[in-house]
Amino acid sequence: MVIPVHDANPTRRVPWVTYALIAVNVLVFLRTPGVVDSVTGDSGLVQSCRLDAFLERWAAVPIELVHDRLPRLVPTGQASVGPFEAGCLAGPPSYDKSPPLSVLTAMFLHGSWLHLLGNMLFLWIFGDNIEDRMGRARYLLFYGICGYAATYGFALFNADSSAPLIGASGAISGVLGAYLVLFPRVRVWVLVPFLVFLPLRLPAWVVLGMWFGLQALYSYGSGVSEAGTVAYVAHLIGFLTGMLLAWPLRRGTTTPPPGRQGAVWGRQARPGSAWR
């Protein structure tokens, strides 16, 4: 897997929506019970029970999305020590949960620092140009549509699953799909892990094509033993949704010349500029 670090694709305006999405994701992660404790080494049964209850309430659950029914018993967030082992208590839910709304809240939840940082890195590098090309309002709507399509698509393939589905990966996959359609020839600096991290400058279609190919491979459980813990099908659906929505914008989108690199904002970006 290659790790993108920079793209030579200037923008005309500050990508405030992308920055805001990143900030909200980080803030929600820091407020997620038990997640930060697991990094500091303070995690235990109590923290694990609190996290289970939090995810049950705010994460998207495929069986709830497809069948529109909620479980009768959910984690309460409390731990209990029985005669044989310790565990988390379950009871009737004390809240009303909307499965469609849970898709939105789940898009801002992450299970680990690695999960969060990986998603935010891709959003940071590729999201600004899609926001610049679509405009802020359309970009935010596009982001949400891709996230919903990825989540519901995954739920249809796993209709009886009660495992919580979290993360911004589906929406960000849509951003990657749109980038492939709009800026396929833009050069992207990547790090390739081969004994050491080798820096390479590759076209976006190579970088994102490799990414899509790996998601397709992993979706069949090949290559990694933990394939079942990641919603690779959601990544594929989000990516294809982003490509489809961005396709009408191909006309009028021009790849920047190789000599123009970095961000171009405000007065530096002339009205006649081809970077949209």
Side-chain angles (χ1 to χ4, degrees), residues 131-145:
E131 177 182 346
D132 192 57
R133 180 64 182 89
M134 292 184 174
R136 289 168 182 152
R138 283 199 299 175
Y139 170 68
L140 186 60
L141 179 62
F142 164 84
Y143 185 91
I145 291 174

Side-chain angles (χ1 to χ4, degrees), residues 18-185:
T18 298
Y19 291 167
L21 288 171
I22 293 174
V24 172
N25 274 280
V26 172
L27 289 175
V28 171
F29 179 80
L30 294 176
R31 297 292 297 175
T32 300
V35 172
V36 178
D37 293 333
S38 66
V39 178
T40 61
D42 297 329
S43 61
L45 179 60
V46 174
Q47 288 79 10
S48 178
C49 293
R50 291 177 59 206
L51 178 60
D52 288 346
F54 182 84
L55 295 181
E56 182 64 38
R57 180 171 184 177
W58 300 110
V61 181
I63 194 171
E64 298 175 3
L65 297 177
V66 175
H67 302 289
D68 194 27
R69 67 170 183 263
L70 302 179
R72 290 181 297 177
L73 296 177
V74 298
T76 63
Q78 298 177 332
S80 175
V81 179
F84 301 104
E85 60 181 357
C88 300
L89 292 176
S94 59
Y95 51 82
D96 292 326
K97 179 180 180 181
S98 168
L101 185 59
S102 71
V103 177
L104 178 62
T105 56
M107 289 166 56
F108 295 94
L109 302 177
H110 292 83
S112 68
W113 282 104
L114 185 61
H115 187 200
L116 173 72
L117 295 178
N119 277 344
M120 295 305 101
L121 174 64
F122 276 82
L123 182 58
W124 173 273
I125 293 173
F126 298 106
D128 57 345
N129 294 108
I130 304 305
E131 177 182 346
D132 192 57
R133 180 64 182 89
M134 292 184 174
R136 289 168 182 152
R138 283 199 299 175
Y139 170 68
L140 186 60
L141 179 62
F142 164 84
Y143 185 91
I145 291 174
C146 290
Y148 267 81
T151 303
Y152 270 99
F154 177 84
L156 290 175
F157 280 97
N158 302 270
D160 296 324
S161 173
S162 59
L165 184 63
I166 61 174
S169 303
I172 296 173
S173 296
V175 172
L176 303 185
Y179 199 100
L180 178 62
V181 167
L182 299 177
F183 308 106
R185 295 187 298 276

